[in-house]
Amino acid sequence: MQLKKYTDYGLRILMYLGVQEAQARKPGMESSQQNKLTTIRDICTTFDLSTNHVNKVVHHLGRLGLIDTRRGKNGGFLLAKPAAEIRLDYVIRQLEGDEAWIECHNPYCVALPACELKGIVARGKELFYDYLAQFTLTDLLKKQGQLLQIFSTTP
Amino acid sequence: MQLKKYTDYGLRILMYLGVQEAQARKPGMESSQQNKLTTIRDICTTFDLSTNHVNKVVHHLGRLGLIDTRRGKNGGFLLAKPAAEIRLDYVIRQLEGDEAWIECHNPYCVALPACELKGIVARGKELFYDYLAQFTLTDLLKKQGQLLQIFSTTP
DNA sequence: CATAACCTACATCCTTAATGCATGTTTTAT
DNA sequence: ATAAAACATGCATTAAGGATGTAGGTTATG
Protein backbone atom coordinates (compact mmCIF):
# COMPACT_ATOMS: atom_id res chain seq x y z
CA MET A 1 0.00 0.00 0.00
CA GLN A 2 2.27 2.71 -1.27
CA LEU A 3 2.50 5.04 -4.22
CA LYS A 4 4.83 3.88 -6.96
CA LYS A 5 8.18 5.60 -7.29
CA TYR A 6 7.03 6.34 -10.80
CA THR A 7 4.29 8.57 -9.42
CA ASP A 8 6.65 10.05 -6.90
CA TYR A 9 9.14 10.96 -9.60
CA GLY A 10 6.42 12.60 -11.62
CA LEU A 11 5.54 14.88 -8.72
CA ARG A 12 9.17 15.79 -8.13
CA ILE A 13 9.55 16.70 -11.78
CA LEU A 14 6.54 18.99 -11.59
CA MET A 15 7.89 20.62 -8.45
CA TYR A 16 11.21 21.22 -10.15
CA LEU A 17 9.49 22.79 -13.13
CA GLY A 18 7.34 24.95 -10.90
CA VAL A 19 10.36 26.35 -9.15
CA GLN A 20 12.19 27.01 -12.41
CA GLU A 21 9.19 28.80 -13.82
CA ALA A 22 8.73 31.02 -10.80
CA GLN A 23 12.39 31.89 -10.92
CA ALA A 24 12.27 32.78 -14.60
CA ARG A 25 9.48 35.22 -13.88
CA LYS A 26 11.50 37.15 -11.34
CA PRO A 27 12.47 40.71 -12.44
CA GLY A 28 15.79 40.82 -14.23
CA MET A 29 15.58 37.20 -15.14
CA GLU A 30 13.45 37.46 -18.26
CA SER A 31 16.33 37.34 -20.69
CA SER A 32 19.31 36.28 -18.62
CA GLN A 33 18.85 32.57 -19.15
CA GLN A 34 17.14 32.84 -22.54
CA ASN A 35 14.28 30.74 -21.16
CA LYS A 36 16.41 27.64 -21.25
CA LEU A 37 14.23 24.55 -20.96
CA THR A 38 14.59 21.89 -18.31
CA THR A 39 15.99 18.61 -19.60
CA ILE A 40 15.79 15.03 -18.42
CA ARG A 41 19.47 15.32 -17.59
CA ASP A 42 18.74 18.25 -15.26
CA ILE A 43 16.18 16.19 -13.36
CA CYS A 44 18.43 13.16 -13.14
CA THR A 45 21.41 15.04 -11.76
CA THR A 46 19.29 16.99 -9.30
CA PHE A 47 17.44 14.01 -7.86
CA ASP A 48 20.02 11.35 -8.68
CA LEU A 49 17.62 9.19 -10.63
CA SER A 50 17.87 6.80 -13.58
CA THR A 51 17.72 8.52 -16.97
CA ASN A 52 15.55 5.81 -18.44
CA HIS A 53 12.95 5.92 -15.75
CA VAL A 54 12.69 9.70 -15.79
CA ASN A 55 12.51 9.48 -19.54
CA LYS A 56 9.29 7.52 -19.29
CA VAL A 57 7.72 9.67 -16.63
CA VAL A 58 8.44 12.84 -18.60
CA HIS A 59 6.92 11.27 -21.65
CA HIS A 60 3.83 10.34 -19.66
CA LEU A 61 3.49 13.85 -18.24
CA GLY A 62 3.68 15.11 -21.79
CA ARG A 63 0.92 12.81 -22.98
CA LEU A 64 -1.21 13.96 -20.04
CA GLY A 65 -0.82 17.55 -21.21
CA LEU A 66 0.81 18.62 -17.96
CA ILE A 67 4.07 19.61 -19.61
CA ASP A 68 5.07 20.71 -23.09
CA THR A 69 8.05 18.84 -24.47
CA ARG A 70 10.31 19.94 -27.27
CA ARG A 71 12.70 17.66 -29.09
CA GLY A 72 15.96 18.52 -30.75
CA LYS A 73 18.94 20.55 -29.70
CA ASN A 74 18.12 22.99 -26.90
CA GLY A 75 14.94 20.99 -26.39
CA GLY A 76 13.45 20.07 -23.05
CA PHE A 77 10.15 20.67 -21.33
CA LEU A 78 8.21 23.08 -19.17
CA LEU A 79 4.83 23.28 -17.46
CA ALA A 80 2.00 23.37 -19.95
CA LYS A 81 -0.22 25.39 -17.64
CA PRO A 82 0.00 27.49 -14.48
CA ALA A 83 0.95 25.55 -11.36
CA ALA A 84 -2.34 26.58 -9.78
CA GLU A 85 -4.21 24.60 -12.42
CA ILE A 86 -2.36 21.35 -11.86
CA ARG A 87 -4.39 19.41 -9.31
CA LEU A 88 -2.67 16.73 -7.27
CA ASP A 89 -5.53 14.24 -7.46
CA TYR A 90 -5.35 14.29 -11.24
CA VAL A 91 -1.59 13.84 -11.35
CA ILE A 92 -1.54 10.99 -8.87
CA ARG A 93 -4.57 9.24 -10.26
CA GLN A 94 -3.14 9.28 -13.76
CA LEU A 95 0.42 8.30 -12.93
CA GLU A 96 -0.63 5.71 -10.40
CA GLY A 97 -3.32 4.14 -12.52
CA ASP A 98 -6.91 4.15 -11.32
CA GLU A 99 -7.50 0.53 -10.35
CA ALA A 100 -9.69 -0.63 -7.44
CA TRP A 101 -7.83 -0.85 -4.15
CA ILE A 102 -9.23 -4.29 -3.44
CA GLU A 103 -9.12 -7.27 -5.71
CA CYS A 104 -12.29 -9.36 -5.88
CA HIS A 105 -11.30 -11.47 -8.83
CA ASN A 106 -7.91 -13.11 -9.25
CA PRO A 107 -8.66 -15.22 -7.42
CA TYR A 108 -12.41 -14.83 -7.64
CA CYS A 109 -14.04 -14.42 -4.25
CA VAL A 110 -17.18 -16.47 -3.71
CA ALA A 111 -18.55 -13.83 -1.38
CA LEU A 112 -18.52 -11.21 -4.13
CA PRO A 113 -22.30 -11.11 -4.76
CA ALA A 114 -23.00 -10.42 -1.08
CA CYS A 115 -19.86 -8.46 -0.20
CA GLU A 116 -20.13 -5.00 1.33
CA LEU A 117 -16.38 -4.50 1.56
CA LYS A 118 -15.58 -3.49 -1.99
CA GLY A 119 -18.03 -0.59 -1.83
CA ILE A 120 -16.63 0.67 1.46
CA VAL A 121 -13.04 0.57 0.26
CA ALA A 122 -13.98 2.19 -3.04
CA ARG A 123 -15.66 5.04 -1.20
CA GLY A 124 -12.62 5.45 1.02
CA LYS A 125 -10.42 5.65 -2.02
CA GLU A 126 -12.58 8.41 -3.46
CA LEU A 127 -12.35 10.34 -0.19
CA PHE A 128 -8.59 10.15 -0.45
CA TYR A 129 -8.64 11.60 -3.94
CA ASP A 130 -11.27 14.16 -3.01
CA TYR A 131 -8.89 15.38 -0.36
CA LEU A 132 -6.00 15.60 -2.80
CA ALA A 133 -8.24 17.57 -5.15
CA GLN A 134 -8.03 20.50 -2.74
CA PHE A 135 -4.38 20.96 -3.59
CA THR A 136 -2.48 22.03 -6.65
CA LEU A 137 1.17 22.21 -7.60
CA THR A 138 1.19 25.66 -6.04
CA ASP A 139 0.70 24.10 -2.63
CA LEU A 140 3.83 22.03 -3.14
CA LEU A 141 5.84 25.18 -3.77
CA LYS A 142 5.24 26.99 -0.51
CA LYS A 143 8.89 26.74 0.48
CA GLN A 144 9.91 27.87 -2.96
CA GLY A 145 13.03 29.73 -1.89
CA GLN A 146 14.37 26.74 -0.03
CA LEU A 147 13.57 24.46 -2.94
CA LEU A 148 15.35 26.76 -5.35
CA GLN A 149 18.43 26.71 -3.22
CA ILE A 150 18.36 22.92 -2.99
CA PHE A 151 17.88 22.50 -6.71
CA SER A 152 20.55 25.00 -7.67
CA THR A 153 23.20 23.67 -5.32
CA THR A 154 22.90 20.07 -6.51
CA PRO A 155 25.44 19.85 -9.30
CA MET B 1 -1.72 1.07 -4.97
CA GLN B 2 -3.78 -1.85 -3.81
CA LEU B 3 -4.43 -3.75 -0.62
CA LYS B 4 -2.45 -6.95 -0.27
CA LYS B 5 -4.25 -10.23 -0.79
CA TYR B 6 -3.05 -11.01 2.68
CA THR B 7 -5.26 -8.23 4.07
CA ASP B 8 -8.10 -9.25 1.83
CA TYR B 9 -7.94 -12.84 3.05
CA GLY B 10 -7.98 -11.63 6.63
CA LEU B 11 -11.22 -9.77 6.04
CA ARG B 12 -12.82 -12.73 4.32
CA ILE B 13 -11.90 -14.94 7.25
CA LEU B 14 -13.52 -12.51 9.67
CA MET B 15 -16.64 -12.39 7.53
CA TYR B 16 -16.81 -16.15 7.50
CA LEU B 17 -16.49 -16.29 11.27
CA GLY B 18 -19.10 -13.61 11.71
CA VAL B 19 -21.60 -15.57 9.68
CA GLN B 20 -20.85 -18.81 11.53
CA GLU B 21 -21.29 -17.11 14.86
CA ALA B 22 -24.59 -15.51 13.97
CA GLN B 23 -25.83 -18.86 12.73
CA ALA B 24 -24.77 -20.65 15.92
CA ARG B 25 -26.83 -18.18 17.91
CA LYS B 26 -30.02 -18.95 16.05
CA PRO B 27 -32.68 -20.72 18.16
CA GLY B 28 -32.40 -24.48 17.97
CA MET B 29 -28.81 -24.30 16.94
CA GLU B 30 -27.22 -23.97 20.33
CA SER B 31 -26.36 -27.63 20.70
CA SER B 32 -26.94 -29.11 17.29
CA GLN B 33 -23.38 -28.53 16.06
CA GLN B 34 -21.71 -28.68 19.48
CA ASN B 35 -20.15 -25.30 18.72
CA LYS B 36 -17.73 -26.80 16.27
CA LEU B 37 -14.89 -24.39 15.59
CA THR B 38 -13.92 -23.09 12.17
CA THR B 39 -10.66 -24.53 10.84
CA ILE B 40 -8.13 -23.33 8.33
CA ARG B 41 -9.32 -26.16 6.13
CA ASP B 42 -12.87 -24.77 6.21
CA ILE B 43 -11.65 -21.38 5.02
CA CYS B 44 -9.48 -22.86 2.30
CA THR B 45 -12.19 -25.01 0.80
CA THR B 46 -14.76 -22.24 0.98
CA PHE B 47 -12.63 -19.55 -0.66
CA ASP B 48 -10.31 -21.87 -2.60
CA LEU B 49 -7.13 -20.47 -1.10
CA SER B 50 -3.70 -21.82 -0.25
CA THR B 51 -3.52 -23.53 3.15
CA ASN B 52 -0.15 -22.01 3.92
CA HIS B 53 -1.18 -18.47 3.24
CA VAL B 54 -4.37 -18.70 5.25
CA ASN B 55 -2.31 -20.31 7.98
CA LYS B 56 -0.29 -17.15 8.37
CA VAL B 57 -3.23 -14.80 8.23
CA VAL B 58 -5.11 -16.77 10.88
CA HIS B 59 -2.06 -16.73 13.08
CA HIS B 60 -1.79 -12.98 12.63
CA LEU B 61 -5.45 -12.43 13.46
CA GLY B 62 -4.85 -14.46 16.60
CA ARG B 63 -1.89 -12.34 17.65
CA LEU B 64 -3.99 -9.24 17.08
CA GLY B 65 -6.57 -10.58 19.50
CA LEU B 66 -9.30 -10.58 16.89
CA ILE B 67 -9.83 -14.33 17.02
CA ASP B 68 -9.24 -17.01 19.62
CA THR B 69 -7.39 -20.03 18.30
CA ARG B 70 -7.31 -23.48 19.80
CA ARG B 71 -4.80 -26.12 18.87
CA GLY B 72 -5.17 -29.84 18.94
CA LYS B 73 -7.91 -32.16 17.81
CA ASN B 74 -11.24 -30.40 17.34
CA GLY B 75 -9.26 -27.17 17.46
CA GLY B 76 -9.90 -24.16 15.27
CA PHE B 77 -10.77 -20.57 15.90
CA LEU B 78 -13.62 -18.13 16.42
CA LEU B 79 -14.15 -14.40 16.87
CA ALA B 80 -12.60 -13.15 20.10
CA LYS B 81 -15.16 -10.37 20.44
CA PRO B 82 -18.51 -9.29 19.05
CA ALA B 83 -18.49 -8.36 15.37
CA ALA B 84 -19.67 -4.88 16.30
CA GLU B 85 -16.40 -4.28 18.13
CA ILE B 86 -14.13 -5.22 15.25
CA ARG B 87 -13.40 -1.99 13.42
CA LEU B 88 -12.31 -2.16 9.80
CA ASP B 89 -9.65 0.52 10.09
CA TYR B 90 -7.91 -1.46 12.78
CA VAL B 91 -8.00 -4.71 10.85
CA ILE B 92 -6.76 -3.21 7.61
CA ARG B 93 -4.12 -1.05 9.23
CA GLN B 94 -2.67 -3.98 11.13
CA LEU B 95 -2.76 -6.55 8.35
CA GLU B 96 -1.59 -4.10 5.74
CA GLY B 97 1.19 -2.60 7.82
CA ASP B 98 1.12 1.07 8.65
CA GLU B 99 3.88 2.49 6.48
CA ALA B 100 3.81 5.92 4.83
CA TRP B 101 2.16 5.92 1.42
CA ILE B 102 4.99 7.87 -0.10
CA GLU B 103 8.66 7.02 0.04
CA CYS B 104 11.00 9.93 0.71
CA HIS B 105 14.11 7.90 1.37
CA ASN B 106 15.26 4.96 -0.73
CA PRO B 107 16.28 6.76 -2.74
CA TYR B 108 16.59 9.82 -0.58
CA CYS B 109 14.85 12.85 -2.07
CA VAL B 110 16.86 16.08 -1.93
CA ALA B 111 13.67 18.08 -1.71
CA LEU B 112 12.69 16.39 1.54
CA PRO B 113 13.43 19.32 3.89
CA ALA B 114 11.20 21.64 1.88
CA CYS B 115 8.65 19.12 0.66
CA GLU B 116 4.95 19.69 1.31
CA LEU B 117 3.87 16.51 -0.40
CA LYS B 118 4.54 13.97 2.29
CA GLY B 119 2.32 15.82 4.74
CA ILE B 120 -0.54 16.06 2.27
CA VAL B 121 -0.41 12.38 1.38
CA ALA B 122 -0.12 11.40 5.04
CA ARG B 123 -3.23 13.40 5.87
CA GLY B 124 -5.07 11.81 2.97
CA LYS B 125 -4.12 8.39 4.25
CA GLU B 126 -5.50 9.25 7.69
CA LEU B 127 -8.77 10.39 6.11
CA PHE B 128 -9.03 7.02 4.40
CA TYR B 129 -8.61 5.22 7.70
CA ASP B 130 -10.90 7.64 9.50
CA TYR B 131 -13.57 6.70 7.03
CA LEU B 132 -12.99 3.00 7.55
CA ALA B 133 -13.24 3.58 11.29
CA GLN B 134 -16.97 4.19 10.85
CA PHE B 135 -17.48 0.57 9.95
CA THR B 136 -17.23 -2.71 11.83
CA LEU B 137 -17.44 -6.33 10.88
CA THR B 138 -21.18 -6.03 11.42
CA ASP B 139 -21.41 -3.77 8.40
CA LEU B 140 -19.83 -6.47 6.28
CA LEU B 141 -22.54 -8.91 7.33
CA LYS B 142 -25.59 -7.05 6.11
CA LYS B 143 -26.37 -9.71 3.55
CA GLN B 144 -25.84 -12.39 6.12
CA GLY B 145 -28.41 -14.80 4.80
CA GLN B 146 -26.94 -14.70 1.33
CA LEU B 147 -23.44 -15.15 2.72
CA LEU B 148 -24.52 -18.14 4.77
CA GLN B 149 -25.96 -19.77 1.72
CA ILE B 150 -22.77 -19.14 -0.28
CA PHE B 151 -20.54 -20.46 2.46
CA SER B 152 -22.62 -23.55 3.15
CA THR B 153 -23.00 -24.56 -0.48
CA THR B 154 -19.29 -24.40 -1.27
CA PRO B 155 -18.11 -27.95 -0.56
C1' DC C 1 -0.35 -42.79 21.97
C1' DA C 2 -2.21 -41.60 17.62
C1' DT C 3 -4.49 -38.02 15.44
C1' DA C 4 -6.02 -33.44 14.38
C1' DA C 5 -5.22 -29.04 14.56
C1' DC C 6 -2.48 -24.67 14.98
C1' DC C 7 2.64 -22.76 15.26
C1' DT C 8 7.03 -21.54 13.17
C1' DA C 9 10.87 -21.17 10.19
C1' DC C 10 12.73 -21.41 6.04
C1' DA C 11 12.77 -21.95 1.00
C1' DT C 12 10.96 -21.09 -3.56
C1' DC C 13 8.04 -19.13 -7.05
C1' DC C 14 5.95 -15.39 -9.42
C1' DT C 15 4.43 -10.87 -10.44
C1' DT C 16 5.58 -6.36 -11.35
C1' DA C 17 7.91 -2.32 -10.49
C1' DA C 18 12.31 -0.52 -11.42
C1' DT C 19 16.03 -0.09 -14.35
C1' DG C 20 19.01 -0.64 -18.42
C1' DC C 21 20.07 -0.80 -23.41
C1' DA C 22 19.53 0.22 -28.11
C1' DT C 23 17.75 2.77 -31.58
C1' DG C 24 14.66 6.09 -33.83
C1' DT C 25 13.06 10.83 -34.64
C1' DT C 26 13.13 15.74 -34.38
C1' DT C 27 15.24 20.17 -34.03
C1' DT C 28 18.92 23.44 -34.00
C1' DA C 29 23.54 25.29 -34.46
C1' DT C 30 27.46 25.36 -37.14
C1' DA D 1 24.44 19.38 -45.10
C1' DT D 2 25.64 17.54 -41.09
C1' DA D 3 26.63 16.73 -36.45
C1' DA D 4 24.95 17.13 -31.98
C1' DA D 5 21.38 17.42 -28.54
C1' DA D 6 17.34 16.26 -26.99
C1' DC D 7 12.88 13.54 -26.53
C1' DA D 8 10.32 8.95 -28.31
C1' DT D 9 9.85 4.06 -28.23
C1' DG D 10 10.35 -0.80 -27.60
C1' DC D 11 12.40 -4.51 -25.59
C1' DA D 12 15.40 -6.81 -22.18
C1' DT D 13 16.99 -7.40 -17.57
C1' DT D 14 17.16 -6.91 -12.62
C1' DA D 15 15.30 -6.47 -8.00
C1' DA D 16 11.91 -6.51 -4.47
C1' DG D 17 8.29 -8.27 -2.24
C1' DG D 18 4.15 -10.68 -2.10
C1' DA D 19 2.38 -15.31 -2.69
C1' DT D 20 3.02 -20.02 -2.07
C1' DG D 21 5.25 -24.36 -0.68
C1' DT D 22 7.82 -27.72 2.42
C1' DA D 23 8.98 -29.53 6.78
C1' DG D 24 8.74 -30.21 10.98
C1' DG D 25 7.24 -28.63 15.90
C1' DT D 26 3.75 -28.16 19.56
C1' DT D 27 -0.59 -28.86 21.82
C1' DA D 28 -4.87 -30.94 22.92
C1' DT D 29 -8.17 -34.64 22.53
C1' DG D 30 -10.07 -39.09 22.38
Side-chain angles (χ1 to χ4, degrees), chain B residues 14 20 25 33 41 47 56 67 76 80 101 141 143 148:
Chain B
L14 293 175
Q20 297 308 116
R25 243 195 291 284
Q33 283 284 80
R41 180 166 301 275
F47 292 99
K56 282 164 201 172
I67 65 178
W101 282 5
L141 302 177
K143 300 184 182 168
L148 176 62

Side-chain angles (χ1 to χ4, degrees), chain B residues 4-6 9 50-53 55-56 70-74:
Chain B
K4 291 186 283 191
K5 290 186 183 180
Y6 186 86
Y9 293 175
S50 140
T51 311
N52 309 284
H53 209 182
N55 193 338
K56 282 164 201 172
R70 242 181 68 205
R71 301 214 264 194
K73 198 164 185 177
N74 296 333

Side-chain angles (χ1 to χ4, degrees), chain A residues 34-131:
Chain A
Q34 287 288 353
N35 291 330
K36 185 183 161 300
L37 298 179
T38 296
T39 71
I40 289 175
R41 179 164 303 274
D42 293 336
I43 301 289
C44 290
T45 58
T46 299
F47 292 99
D48 191 27
L49 301 177
S50 140
T51 311
N52 309 285
H53 209 184
V54 172
N55 194 336
K56 282 162 202 175
V57 180
V58 165
H59 179 57
H60 197 165
L61 291 173
R63 277 191 289 121
L64 291 175
L66 294 173
I67 66 178
D68 285 331
T69 63
R70 241 181 67 206
R71 302 215 262 194
K73 199 165 183 175
N74 296 335
F77 44 89
L78 76 172
L79 291 181
K81 42 182 154 182
E85 293 177 19
I86 296 181
R87 291 216 325 258
L88 297 191
D89 64 323
Y90 180 77
V91 176
I92 295 182
R93 218 175 198 133
Q94 294 299 321
L95 293 183
E96 192 65 23
D98 200 9
E99 66 196 351
W101 282 4
I102 196 163
E103 184 66 77
C104 300
H105 314 77
N106 182 39
Y108 174 78
C109 177
V110 289
L112 183 56
C115 182
E116 301 289 329
L117 183 62
K118 55 182 188 297
I120 292 175
V121 171
R123 182 80 190 104
K125 171 189 163 188
E126 289 311 313
L127 285 176
F128 174 71
Y129 279 117
D130 285 352
Y131 177 69

